[in-house]
Amino acid sequence: MASSYALPSSALPHAHRQHMHAHSHSHPHPHPHPHPPTSLNALKSTMASGGGLHNHSQSLDRSRHPDRPHLGHARSFSHENSESHPPSRPSAHGHTPSHSLSHLPTFNPNDADTHEPKNRLPHLPTLRTNPTPGFHMREKLPPTPLSQVDGWKTETAPSGRELLTPMSAASKWYEPPDSAATNHSHSHSHGHGRSHDHHHGHDHDHDHAHKHAHHDHDHGNSHEPAKISLFSKLLLRYSPHVPVFHAILVEKDSRRIFYFLSLNFSFMAVQAWYAHATESIGLLSDTVHMFFDCFALFVGLCASVMSKWAPSQRFPYGLGKVETLSGFANGILLMLLSVEIIGEAFERMAEGTPPRRLHELLAVSTLGGLVNVVGLVAFGHHHHGHGHSHGGDGGGCSGSHKKTDDHDHNHNHDHNHNHGHNHNHNHGHGHGHQNENMQGIFLHVLADLMGSVAVVVSTLLTMYTGYAWWDAVAGLLVSVLIVLAAWPLLASSARNLLLGIPETVEYNLRNTLAGIAQQRGVVGYSVPKFWMDEVAAAAGHDRHHHQHEHSHDRDHDHDHDHGHGHGHDHQHEHHSASGERLRGIVHVVAARGAGLDDVRDRVRAHLAQHGMDVVVQVEREGDGSCWCGAGRLAPPSATGLPSPRAF
Amino acid sequence: MADDGPPSADGGLDSPIPSPFNFKTQVISTTPIKSNIGQRRGHRYKHSSISAQHHIFKEPPPRPPPVLPASLPIPTLKEARERMTTEQWHSLYWSLCHVAVAAFLFFRSRGSLGIMALSHLVFFDAGSALICVAVDVLGNFEVWRRSSIRHPFGLERAEVIAGFAMSIFLLFGGFDLVSHGLKHWLDTKGGHEPHHDHSHQYVPSGELEWVACAGIFSTLVSAYWVKNHARIARIMRSSWLSILSHHFTNVFHVLTIFFSILLLLLPLLPGSPSHWDRALCAAIACAMFALGAQLGAAQASMLLMSYHGDVSPVLRDIEAEPNVSRIEEAQFWQVHYGLCVANLKICVARGCDEGIISKLRSKITSMIQNRLGEGYGRGSSLRWEVTIQTSVESN
């Protein structure tokens, strides 16, 4: 591997790309900035070795912000990180430090906004001591720390045989450092952002961040988060003894689900007890319904926790799809529920039995509706909800925030480009896209709320008008609404599960693929199959959260960039981001004169340039032994014919 | 196929309209030039320096080959209808009949929880039959199997997704039955007047036979004609249920028929039939829970890009190969019911030449196919697409 990157011609641009933002930024900036010599040095150092970049940025930062203790602090960490990584692979190298690094700041704001940097410190040793030199299959994939826990394939470098021993399930389950590690992984792209920021004019950033923090703070306060974050801070302090509990609380999403689940469950318990005491059927059936909700919430909670698990032998691409799956399941459940409601409505109509015990019904559904309103606020808050944790940030210490914010900015950037329309979509109906799990839960709660409201309204109407069929009409209406609401969720999650490639990515992918054949020594290729990397997506999704928390900042930064006239940088990110999350396979046919290893490295480098981590099988021209059938055909025409079996 | 394929090289060969000009432009543009080059220039010596300079003309710049079709259109409902064979129409009609039977059972279930439970099962069967028909119809189209950039594994995974939805239906149905049973129980137990006056009175016996026979008949027809659940049963085979359904094709048919027969026998059992009725409902609900959970888990693992079996012995054997020095990465996962993908990055020992590597590759491929193919003796094998990236040990 190392040899391939050592080639001067290919390695240099490659390194650029991988280091991405950091590098690209460092280039243009020297001129506007007052520290040209340092940045030039940095440039040189990056050329010499991938790790140089971080050093550079660090020094810059220090020189610029000597007054910010936190910044310096974090930076020193980053520095060490980057150094600790052997420079064998520039790409991986550049990334990992940034991940781990950036993670630390973002992690806290995200979760509880409460952690001080000292609290993060304990995580650091695990990061640094992590060996994982050779691993990093994907650039953005970060599970570096996890490798020590259970990835058998991650530990490739030190001793070959050990890797393949299957991991015991016990080790896979949960350990607090593990979760921390995953978190690190999410944030990795922040790292880029960070260096980026530093390169930028610092005044600018600072101001923006400040303002924003405050903004968000207000925003957050308007909702009910402050109490929660305090509460969860308290819980987080005591939870590490119960690993599962801690795992739930550490992540923002799962924490929210958990709180709402406990609320729902306690309400259900009270209701069940009351139903038992009064022997009321209406109450009891509502209790059963609540139980159903709790079950759906529980599934969502499990998915939210599981999606953070690292790739393992059993799940080679991680469990990032669990959330999509749970969202899909939730959508199907909603559909079935609405069908059932319709059925019952018709039954009610046919029978013509007026609903009985109207007052009881009214009370129960009102209470249930209130609970759902709380849930809706919680998850809806999540939806447009940058404010909460961010607010905490603003309160904490501005310097470090600023930093994280900027990361976020970069992220968002990536993100936008990445997902193209998808993302916009999501914005359209509020963040949902990436996290189908949360969207499903939100919809479920929404459906419940609609049900409660419909019951209340129809009961009132029945009481006042005396007609019996209000109930049925309300049921029909609600079921139609549920179907309409759940349909987009179903469609998007099904598309994801189908392993389809989004259109924007597809466009770039075609160009990239065409480039394969132009690599030297490549005669043709066959069975190119690529799919979105869910591990990165999981990370991205966490990023997503971050973004959301700071999304205001993001916009600002964005503008900022533009002000600088940074077209170039833009493109870079776009490029790497668009392909960032693709994995796949391709079989390449090498010409007779070309070395197999050489061809493999070329193709891999080419694909890695576009952010794809691909398993490349190189076959010799004329070697028809593979199932892909590429080698069997006569070489020149083979590439032109559609006959290389594409399935 | 020609209409939705890309304008490819063979598209011109079988063009339906006989054109007066039978030229093939490729031939003219590529081959003759290559052969003419030496002569036209008038150079006597092929290997003279001037000829060597011109050899750039021999190889035109490589064009990106259209390995993958530009795009495969997903058929609309109309296109799908046009492509359906009569056989497919027939099975579609039957599937709709099956749904109708299920609906019939459901609406006959006023008095009996058992019938309602059975109707849930029949609904599941009918849904599965519909999915089978849909899969069959979509199989007429290239986009279903063939991979494109948009859909790297075709659309076949859609069947897994639909199956997953069905397993959720099973779970939901089980839950629904439980809540219905609970309501019924409270209705009869609670002091207030039961609003269904037949709730403590069992269905008339003539209707029961009808219902049970309809269930059995529809299940059998679907099983032998539409062959629903066939692929689902395959992934369930490795489970404990295989003991149950050893002699039969699969669990679901057995389940429906078994409960239908039980329903027939209910009046013969001693004691109050309504108690048995409730017991039957509970049994069906339990079965639906169990099957739904298992089926859902199996399909979810597929959708999560995982392989359900244990691959570590195979990996160990691959590592034990003399020329393999280590495995850097190994990813095994199942795409859909019929296809698995294995991606390996291996390091081969120093000094292996290409022939050895090629042999090693085919050996590993066949090893994986044989060990994990699951197909022995049944003809329904799991295809493994193996991709092996080799690198020579560097030190």
Side-chain angles (χ1 to χ4, degrees):
Chain A
M1 287 291 113
S3 65
S4 71
Y5 289 111
L7 289 172
S9 61
S10 70
L12 200 50
H14 181 65
H16 264 288
R17 186 53 69 44
Q18 303 317 24
H19 288 291
M20 331 202 273
H21 329 290
H23 271 279
S24 58
H25 294 304
S26 65
H27 280 298
H29 277 287
H31 312 290
H33 281 312
H35 300 283
T38 40
S39 52
L40 274 180
N41 280 341
L43 195 58
K44 276 179 208 158
S45 69
T46 51
M47 285 186 176
S49 73
L53 161 76
H54 283 285
N55 296 336
H56 163 55
S57 62
Q58 180 196 9
S59 63
L60 252 189
D61 293 329
R62 274 201 192 134
S63 60
R64 274 193 216 148
H65 323 286
D67 52 334
R68 285 192 218 158
H70 286 288
L71 265 186
H73 199 44
R75 205 144 297 121
S76 65
F77 291 148
S78 70
H79 181 49
E80 291 185 14
N81 270 341
S82 61
E83 279 188 346
S84 73
H85 282 270
S88 62
R89 272 201 207 179
S91 67
H93 180 64
H95 276 281
T96 26
S98 59
H99 302 326
S100 48
L101 216 204
S102 63
H103 169 57
L104 303 175
T106 50
F107 166 70
N108 296 309
N110 177 19
D111 296 328
D113 5 310
T114 60
H115 282 265
E116 279 98 16
K118 293 130 209 159
N119 279 353
R120 298 160 204 157
L121 270 173
H123 295 303
L124 273 172
T126 61
L127 281 177
R128 242 185 284 158
T129 51
N130 241 340
T132 70
F135 175 46
H136 305 301
M137 332 175 293
R138 355 180 153 110
E139 340 166 30
K140 274 218 163 182
L141 159 66
T144 39
L146 296 171
S147 63
Q148 68 195 21
V149 184
D150 68 333
W152 46 273
K153 57 180 174 181
T154 56
E155 298 183 1
T156 57
S159 66
R161 303 279 154 169
E162 287 176 358
L163 319 170
L164 292 170
T165 56
M167 287 298 108
S168 65
S171 72
K172 189 165 66 179
W173 284 133
Y174 169 79
E175 293 170 274
D178 181 343
S179 82
T182 39
N183 289 333
H184 294 304
S185 67
H186 312 287
S187 42
H188 62 108
S189 26
H190 296 302
H192 308 303
R194 176 174 71 97
S195 54
H196 178 56
D197 288 336
H198 298 305
H199 292 293
H200 279 293
H202 111 87
D203 292 346
H204 248 320
D205 284 0
H206 195 56
D207 289 354
H208 282 306
H210 249 314
K211 259 191 232 158
H212 275 292
H214 283 299
H215 250 314
D216 282 27
H217 199 44
D218 295 345
H219 188 43
N221 276 347
S222 71
H223 292 284
E224 28 115 37
K227 185 194 73 189
I228 286 188
S229 69
L230 237 166
F231 179 59
S232 46
K233 191 209 311 186
L234 200 70
L235 280 182
L236 270 174
R237 184 170 301 165
Y238 292 106
S239 60
H241 306 291
V242 194
V244 177
F245 193 51
H246 189 78
I248 291 172
L249 287 179
V250 154
E251 277 302 319
K252 188 169 131 201
D253 280 350
S254 53
R255 199 172 59 223
R256 280 184 178 163
I257 301 174
F258 177 73
Y259 288 156
F260 186 61
L261 176 61
S262 359
L263 176 67
N264 228 341
F265 196 79
S266 48
F267 184 74
M268 186 190 89
V270 169
Q271 212 180 27
W273 178 80
Y274 198 73
H276 179 72
T278 61
E279 295 206 339
S280 124
I281 293 193
L283 264 186
L284 196 85
S285 66
D286 198 63
T287 309
V288 170
H289 182 79
M290 286 293 271
F291 176 76
F292 209 27
D293 289 353
C294 285
F295 184 73
L297 279 174
F298 181 72
V299 170
L301 182 65
C302 288
S304 180
V305 172
M306 278 167 73
S307 68
K308 305 296 178 301
W309 289 354
S312 63
Q313 185 176 357
R314 181 73 200 266
F315 296 100
Y317 302 104
L319 280 160
K321 278 204 188 312
V322 161
E323 290 197 297
T324 311
L325 203 62
S326 137
F328 181 77
N330 240 325
I332 292 285
L333 266 185
L334 285 176
M335 292 281 178
L336 291 173
L337 268 177
S338 70
V339 167
E340 201 195 6
I341 291 174
I342 290 178
E344 272 181 9
F346 276 118
E347 199 181 0
R348 194 68 55 78
M349 273 181 176
E351 282 181 1
T353 51
R356 293 152 300 142
R357 296 172 157 234
L358 291 181
H359 292 284
E360 181 190 297
L361 201 62
L362 204 61
V364 169
S365 53
T366 312
L367 276 180
L370 280 183
V371 170
N372 285 325
V373 164
V374 171
L376 204 64
V377 167
F379 294 114
H381 173 65
H382 169 92
H383 266 229
H384 50 80
H386 339 286
H388 160 54
S389 22
H390 194 47
D393 272 281
C397 92
S398 59
S400 60
H401 304 321
K402 186 213 71 95
K403 192 172 63 157
T404 45
D405 294 350
D406 287 358
H407 301 322
D408 285 324
H409 135 59
N410 246 355
H411 277 315
N412 294 332
H413 224 15
D414 285 15
H415 208 62
N416 279 341
H417 277 296
N418 225 348
H419 289 279
H421 49 227
N422 268 356
H423 189 63
N424 292 339
H425 249 330
N426 295 329
H427 266 306
H429 39 103
H431 165 99
H433 145 69
Q434 272 283 357
N435 200 341
E436 271 126 353
N437 187 21
M438 292 305 273
Q439 200 191 343
I441 290 172
F442 175 79
L443 281 182
H444 202 110
V445 176
L446 184 70
D448 284 353
L449 183 61
M450 283 197 294
S452 302
V453 169
V455 168
V456 169
V457 170
S458 71
T459 311
L460 284 178
L461 284 174
T462 314
M463 282 167 84
Y464 284 109
T465 61
Y467 289 120
W469 40 265
W470 284 114
D471 196 31
V473 170
L476 284 182
L477 197 68
V478 163
S479 59
V480 168
L481 283 180
I482 290 175
V483 168
L484 286 183
W487 185 252
L489 169 69
L490 268 187
S492 74
S493 54
R495 206 177 302 127
N496 187 347
L497 289 175
L498 206 56
L499 296 180
I501 300 255
E503 271 177 52
T504 38
V505 179
E506 186 191 358
Y507 180 78
N508 292 329
L509 186 55
R510 283 179 188 281
N511 290 339
T512 311
L513 271 184
I516 290 182
Q518 282 159 359
Q519 304 299 311
R520 204 168 70 204
V522 174
V523 174
Y525 63 97
S526 67
V527 289
K529 299 187 178 185
F530 305 100
W531 55 90
M532 306 299 286
D533 187 358
E534 281 298 318
V535 178
H541 138 39
D542 271 57
R543 263 188 278 157
H544 207 54
H545 294 195
H546 295 287
Q547 298 174 2
H548 270 277
E549 286 155 19
H550 311 286
S551 69
H552 292 298
D553 289 311
R554 162 171 73 116
D555 287 340
H556 258 283
D557 279 336
H558 204 50
D559 292 342
H560 180 54
D561 272 344
H562 277 300
H564 273 275
H566 238 321
H568 167 61
D569 144 38
H570 240 319
Q571 269 213 356
H572 244 311
E573 299 199 5
H574 169 45
H575 217 65
S576 53
S578 66
E580 200 88 43
R581 314 149 82 234
L582 281 175
R583 313 203 57 185
I585 57 170
V586 67
H587 291 202
V588 170
V589 181
R592 283 186 206 280
L596 292 185
D597 281 6
D598 185 42
V599 168
R600 182 201 65 222
D601 290 340
R602 264 174 215 285
V603 172
R604 272 185 65 79
H606 169 71
L607 293 174
Q609 240 176 24
H610 296 270
M612 297 158 64
D613 181 30
V614 175
V615 178
V616 179
Q617 171 171 328
V618 185
E619 295 154 27
R620 179 58 73 198
E621 193 178 351
D623 175 15
S625 59
C626 181
W627 54 270
C628 70
R632 248 167 262 156
L633 301 150
S637 57
T639 57
L641 286 177
S643 38
R645 293 210 324 264
F647 53 90
Chain B
M1 291 303 121
D3 56 347
D4 50 12
S8 57
D10 66 345
L13 293 181
D14 55 4
S15 67
I17 308 163
S19 83
F21 303 103
N22 202 15
F23 291 142
K24 285 172 190 161
T25 44
Q26 295 167 322
V27 179
I28 290 174
S29 66
T30 57
T31 348
I33 288 179
K34 204 184 276 180
S35 59
N36 277 351
I37 270 182
Q39 301 152 2
R40 258 209 262 134
R41 314 264 154 180
H43 289 297
R44 193 164 294 191
Y45 302 107
K46 192 180 170 193
H47 296 292
S48 79
S49 61
I50 296 181
S51 283
Q53 264 178 4
H54 285 290
H55 98 143
I56 194 167
F57 291 117
K58 281 185 197 164
E59 277 183 287
R63 276 160 297 163
V67 167
L68 284 185
S71 72
L72 291 172
I74 295 178
T76 60
L77 215 56
K78 183 162 159 280
E79 288 163 354
R81 223 165 35 211
E82 282 164 2
R83 289 283 186 94
M84 276 170 75
T85 62
T86 45
E87 206 176 318
Q88 284 165 349
W89 276 113
H90 290 162
S91 37
L92 175 65
Y93 290 144
W94 166 251
S95 303
L96 293 178
C97 285
H98 202 159
V99 174
V101 168
F104 167 73
L105 291 193
F106 184 75
F107 287 115
R108 283 287 154 195
S109 66
R110 275 297 155 70
S112 156
L113 280 175
I115 297 180
M116 171 176 281
L118 189 66
S119 81
H120 280 67
L121 270 186
V122 178
F123 262 123
F124 176 73
D125 286 349
S128 173
L130 270 180
I131 288 177
C132 277
V133 172
V135 165
D136 210 18
V137 170
L138 283 172
N140 295 344
F141 294 89
E142 208 180 3
V143 66
W144 183 252
R145 279 194 195 86
R146 195 161 165 200
S147 98
S148 62
I149 291 181
R150 179 75 62 80
H151 300 290
F153 299 96
L155 290 181
E156 275 179 282
R157 244 168 107 84
E159 191 186 2
V160 184
I161 296 176
F164 182 71
M166 288 309 288
S167 68
I168 289 173
F169 171 78
L170 270 187
L171 288 176
F172 175 84
F175 191 87
D176 192 43
L177 286 182
V178 168
S179 73
H180 263 281
L182 222 59
K183 253 185 238 173
H184 250 250
W185 179 63
L186 284 168
D187 252 359
T188 52
K189 183 197 145 208
H192 47 267
E193 76 319 342
H195 59 285
H196 301 299
D197 49 357
H198 43 240
S199 62
H200 42 219
Q201 176 205 337
Y202 199 51
V203 267
S205 58
E207 192 171 318
L208 203 65
E209 274 96 53
W210 259 111
V211 162
C213 287
I216 294 176
F217 174 74
S218 59
T219 307
L220 285 178
V221 171
S222 272
Y224 286 103
W225 191 5
V226 185
K227 290 194 175 41
N228 57 350
H229 306 312
R231 282 169 287 246
I232 290 179
R234 197 199 290 171
I235 60 167
M236 308 266 298
R237 196 175 277 151
S238 53
S239 62
W240 56 271
L241 284 158
S242 58
I243 309 158
L244 238 176
S245 67
H246 195 67
H247 305 286
F248 305 95
T249 46
N250 64 58
V251 197
F252 299 100
H253 300 146
V254 174
L255 212 64
T256 316
I257 292 174
F258 172 72
F259 282 122
S260 302
I261 293 175
L262 220 56
L263 195 67
L264 265 182
L265 298 181
L266 268 192
L268 306 180
L269 292 173
S272 153
S274 65
H275 285 301
W276 288 111
D277 190 45
R278 262 180 227 136
L280 182 66
C281 174
I284 293 181
C286 287
M288 285 174 84
F289 270 131
L291 282 182
Q294 204 171 13
L295 189 61
Q299 277 154 342
S301 94
M302 233 182 271
L303 292 177
L304 291 174
M305 305 175 83
S306 140
Y307 177 66
H308 58 85
D310 186 16
V311 295
S312 43
V314 178
L315 284 179
R316 232 171 280 135
D317 285 0
I318 292 174
E319 272 225 316
E321 285 286 319
N323 288 321
V324 176
S325 68
R326 70 201 153 91
I327 302 180
E328 288 178 335
E329 255 183 73
Q331 297 148 356
F332 291 77
W333 59 286
Q334 186 162 8
V335 182
H336 49 76
Y337 294 122
L339 175 68
C340 285
V341 167
N343 301 330
L344 293 160
K345 287 184 185 175
I346 60 174
C347 242
V348 297
R350 258 199 145 167
C352 283
D353 65 345
E354 287 168 14
I356 295 178
I357 289 179
S358 172
K359 254 178 223 138
L360 184 69
R361 207 158 44 205
S362 47
K363 189 170 180 189
I364 291 176
T365 305
S366 64
M367 185 194 289
I368 290 175
Q369 178 70 54
N370 293 336
R371 296 272 296 271
L372 303 175
E374 293 180 357
Y376 37 89
R378 288 200 186 84
S380 59
S381 70
L382 209 52
R383 198 158 54 87
W384 279 88
E385 290 188 350
V386 184
T387 300
I388 301 166
Q389 176 177 320
T390 53
S391 56
V392 178
E393 184 90 51
S394 54
N395 45 6

